[in-house]
Amino acid sequence: MPRMVTVITGASAGVGRATVREFARRGDAIALLARNEDGLEAAAREARELGGRAIAIPTDVADAAQVEAAADRATRELGPIDVWVNDAMATILAPTWAIEADEFRRVTEVTYLGQVYGTMAALRRMRPRDTGTIVQVGSALAYRGIPLQSAYCGAKHAIRGFTDALRTELMHEGSNVKITTVHLPALNTTQCGLVRTRMPRKPRPVAPVFQPEVAARAIVWASEHPQRREHWVAGSTVMTILGSRLTPGILGDRYLAKTGFDSQQTDEPVDARRRETDYLFTPVPGDHGAHGPFGDEAKPRSRGVWLAEHRGALLGAFGAGALAAALARR
C-alpha cells in the first residue's frame, strides 16, 4: 500500500497513541492532534522510529478553529489528507446529579463536537477531491448507556446519529468519500489514571479488558475497509450491542443498576487531590503512553476481531450461525 497522509486526534495517549504506531508501521505520514504537547512529541518520535513521517500539532478538538488550523497545517506540510481518525474523548465518572453543567458541556464538546469538527475539516478537503476516508472511534457505550458515564454515553450516542445522517448525505450526492465507525470494548489505556471522578474508589475499565493495540489494529483495518459502515471490536462489544437491542430493559437496566457501580471501580480509595490533577479542562503534563495499569488482565488480541475481519469468507464456509457463536465467545 502506498504511503498515505493520516490525521489522528487524541494522538498523545491511549488508543490514539497506539493507533499512531500502527499507521507509522504502515509508513504513513501522520499529523498528530492532541492538547498534551509532551505526549504528542513522544508519539511523533515513536512514529518516526517506526518508519512513518510525523508532525505534532497541539490542538484542542473542542475548538473548531484550532481543528481547522491543524487540518491546514497537515495539508500544507504532509499533503492531501487520505484518512482522518476521530479518536479524542473525555469523560467524568460520577452519577448524573453529581456532574456540573460545565463538566457536561466539556465532555460533550470534546467527545461529540470534537468528532463533528474533525469530520467537517476532513470533508472540506476530501469532498473537492472526491476521495478520502473518515474513521469515527466509537464505543459499545454508543448503544448501551451505563451508570456513572451519562455525559460520555450521551456524546457517543450523538456521534452515531451524526455519522448515520452524514453517510446518507454522502451517498445522496454520489460521493466517493467514505465514513466508517469502530466501536471499541473496555481497554487498558491511560484513561482511568487521568479521568475526573467523584467516586470513592479508583476507576477501572469494565471487564473483559483489552490492550489498546487491539483497538489500533481494528482502526487501521477499518480505514482500509471503509465500505463496512461499522466495525464491532471484540466479542464483548458484539454482545453489548446485541444485548441492548434484545433486552434493553429488564435484563440490561437492572443488571447494570446492580453491577455498574462496582465494576467501574477498584478496591483502592481514590486520591483526595484527584480533581486537581485530572485532564478534563487542562492536559496533565508528561508523556503518559498508551497503556494503563491493568496489563495483567488485559487481552493482547481478540479472536472476535479476526473473525469479524474475515467474516465474508467464514460465512461462505460455515454459515452465519457458526460465526455468531464464535464472536460471542470473544
Side-chain angles (χ1 to χ4, degrees):
M1 175 175 291
R3 169 179 282 197
M4 305 181 81
V5 174
T6 298
V7 177
I8 303 173
T9 72
S12 63
V15 171
R17 180 70 164 268
T19 302
V20 168
R21 295 169 184 164
E22 286 300 314
F23 277 106
R25 289 187 181 97
R26 200 175 72 171
D28 281 17
I30 312 167
L32 287 64
L33 279 56
R35 296 176 303 164
N36 185 335
E37 296 188 35
D38 296 332
L40 275 183
E41 292 298 337
R45 286 195 300 271
E46 288 179 350
R48 297 180 193 117
E49 291 168 359
L50 290 168
R53 182 182 173 195
I55 57 171
I57 309 178
T59 307
D60 184 346
V61 298
D63 185 326
Q66 289 190 40
V67 176
E68 181 66 17
D72 272 345
R73 181 180 167 190
T75 302
R76 186 170 62 251
E77 297 188 22
L78 299 179
I81 297 168
D82 299 297
V83 177
W84 187 293
V85 179
N86 283 311
D87 173 65
M89 54 78 65
T91 188
I92 175 172
L93 199 71
T96 300
W97 52 83
I99 302 175
E100 297 173 5
D102 63 334
E103 294 167 336
F104 263 109
R105 184 183 306 111
R106 179 63 183 172
V107 171
T108 303
E109 288 174 345
V110 174
T111 307
Y112 171 55
L113 290 179
Q115 293 217 12
V116 172
Y117 298 153
T119 300
M120 292 170 66
L123 289 172
R124 291 188 188 101
R125 290 152 182 84
M126 292 177 178
R127 284 183 63 247
R129 295 164 45 227
D130 197 31
T131 186
T133 297
I134 300 167
V135 181
Q136 312 285 51
V137 178
S139 166
L141 304 189
Y143 282 88
R144 172 68 254 187
I146 64 173
L148 305 182
Q149 296 215 47
S150 58
Y152 178 77
C153 292
K156 286 297 186 182
H157 274 69
I159 292 165
R160 278 183 54 220
F162 166 76
T163 301
D164 287 349
L166 171 59
R167 184 182 295 107
T168 61
E169 292 165 353
L170 292 170
M171 292 172 67
H172 174 78
E173 72 171 13
S175 175
N176 286 312
V177 176
K178 305 299 182 185
I179 187 164
T180 187
T181 302
V182 181
H183 290 300
L184 302 179
L187 298 160
N188 176 39
T189 69
T190 56
Q191 168 74 9
C192 288
L194 301 174
V195 65
R196 177 165 293 191
T197 181
R198 295 215 166 87
M199 303 308 295
R201 291 172 281 138
K202 290 182 178 180
R204 62 151 293 138
V206 179
V209 181
F210 294 84
Q211 294 287 24
E213 286 77 15
V214 173
R217 290 191 293 268
I219 290 167
V220 173
W221 195 88
S223 76
E224 298 168 348
H225 300 82
Q227 66 277 9
R228 189 177 299 180
R229 68 193 308 276
E230 291 190 345
H231 304 255
W232 299 353
V233 179
S236 56
T237 299
V238 174
M239 298 308 293
T240 297
I241 294 174
L242 294 180
S244 72
R245 294 175 175 177
L246 298 173
T247 59
I250 294 176
L251 294 181
D253 293 346
R254 291 185 180 178
Y255 175 77
L256 286 165
K258 182 178 180 180
T259 67
F261 279 64
D262 286 342
S263 65
Q264 295 185 78
Q265 299 177 80
T266 70
D267 295 329
E268 300 179 54
V270 73
D271 186 337
R273 298 186 60 219
R274 179 66 179 265
R275 182 167 176 171
E276 300 173 22
T277 58
D278 68 57
Y279 71 170
L280 188 57
F281 289 99
T282 57
V284 178
D287 176 21
H288 304 289
H291 294 95
F294 303 96
D296 289 347
E297 65 176 281
K299 303 175 188 296
R301 61 187 61 84
S302 166
R303 287 200 297 270
V305 172
W306 186 91
L307 289 165
E309 292 173 353
H310 297 83
R311 68 182 182 184
L314 290 167
L315 281 171
F318 302 108
L323 180 56
L327 285 171
R329 290 194 292 270
R330 283 291 180 184

